[in-house]
Amino acid sequence: DQQVKQNSPSLSVQEGRISILNCDYTNSMFDYFLWYKKYPAEGPTFLISISSIKDKNEDGRFTVFLNKSAKHLSLHIVPSQPGDSAVYFCAANNAGNMLTFGGGTRLMVKP
Amino acid sequence: KAGVTQTPRYLIKTRGQQVTLSCSPISGHRSVSWYQQTPGQGLQFLFEYFSETQRNKGNFPGRFSGRQFSNSRSEMNVSTLELGDSALYLCASSLDWARGYGYTFGSGTRLTVV
């Protein structure tokens, strides 16, 4: 039973446009959500996070939105750049250091 | 500062064998967590060690085990390997209760079971 799901395995966008990556979760105990970016042959790197007491968090070109009633979060990247091409994982946490990850979305930004 | 070091980077083993993977955390980090990444499954939590004690455990069979040494270096062991154990094994270190924010991942060990 996957508690965190990323239903789009891949996404292709044009450079300069907006990339929207989506993530759904089922466990209402999750209260902290994160996005990680992963390049091939490297470990995931932390991108941005959001607490359940907020509905939006912004960091430069990256914004994460949280809709608790829908148990849905999304990552917006504006504008998208070719260097953003990577696999993006959303993750959820309710305590400690254990993260529950989604299956990942491969983003391809075309020049 | 040096990152999280995982050794070896690649490993090929035969079904039924056992394997030991190593993770050296960032200096000063006392928590080490292990994750298994398989295609389409994302990263699945194996276990976390803090100060030589297992603090959390994921839903994996007993063939998967780990330990942590006094210098915070951690090892994970998989016994009686199965084909389905082929995966990228990642470790992440953090100071303490990082809630993922303070995680630093290593580059992983790619295990292939034939």
Side-chain angles (χ1 to χ4, degrees):
Chain A
D1 174 31
Q2 273 193 299
Q3 298 186 64
V4 179
K5 284 186 181 179
Q6 294 176 254
N7 290 318
S8 299
S10 65
L11 174 68
S12 181
V13 299
Q14 207 66 35
E15 181 180 5
R17 305 293 292 269
I18 184 171
S19 295
I20 300 176
L21 295 90
N22 294 302
C23 180
D24 297 297
Y25 63 96
T26 57
N27 189 342
S28 57
M29 297 300 292
F30 290 139
D31 63 352
Y32 191 65
F33 304 88
L34 310 95
W35 285 92
Y36 283 82
K37 180 166 79 171
K38 187 179 184 300
Y39 293 116
E42 294 182 12
T45 54
F46 169 77
L47 197 56
I48 192 170
S49 64
I50 187 167
S51 165
S52 61
I53 62 173
K54 294 186 174 183
D55 54 18
K56 176 183 174 181
N57 189 26
E58 200 169 348
D59 184 2
R61 297 185 297 114
F62 303 91
T63 303
V64 56
F65 295 92
L66 175 63
N67 182 333
K68 280 188 297 183
S69 60
K71 294 191 176 67
H72 176 84
L73 63 154
S74 61
L75 174 68
H76 292 210
I77 307 174
V78 184
S80 300
Q81 299 173 353
D84 295 330
S85 297
V87 178
Y88 289 78
F89 292 98
C90 68
N93 172 272
N94 62 344
N97 285 340
M98 176 179 164
L99 297 182
T100 302
F101 283 85
T105 296
R106 182 177 303 278
L107 173 65
M108 293 163 283
V109 180
K110 298 178 181 176
Chain B
K1 59 182 178 182
V4 177
T5 303
Q6 290 189 247
T7 56
R9 288 297 306 272
Y10 302 93
L11 208 47
I12 299 176
K13 288 286 187 178
T14 304
R15 264 185 307 176
Q17 287 187 310
Q18 75 163 17
V19 67
T20 299
L21 313 181
S22 178
C23 173
S24 293
I26 288 174
S27 177
H29 283 191
R30 295 166 65 190
S31 168
V32 174
S33 299
W34 288 88
Y35 288 83
Q36 180 196 67
Q37 184 189 0
T38 52
Q41 291 293 315
L43 284 73
Q44 294 182 280
F45 176 78
L46 280 154
F47 28 65
E48 182 210 3
Y49 285 87
F50 180 82
S51 292
E52 303 178 63
T53 301
Q54 188 178 85
R55 190 157 67 173
N56 279 300
K57 188 178 189 309
N59 191 23
F60 277 81
R63 300 185 297 108
F64 292 81
S65 63
R67 59 178 175 168
Q68 187 179 34
F69 301 95
S70 58
N71 61 357
S72 294
R73 189 177 72 85
S74 177
E75 289 181 346
M76 68 162 280
N77 185 76
V78 188
S79 62
T80 319
L81 282 166
E82 301 177 359
L83 295 178
D85 297 333
S86 295
L88 179 67
Y89 290 88
L90 292 156
C91 79
S93 76
S94 63
L95 283 168
D96 192 351
W97 298 103
R99 304 203 74 183
Y101 173 77
Y103 263 9
T104 300
F105 278 91
S107 297
T109 294
R110 172 77 60 188
L111 171 65
T112 302
V113 182
V114 297

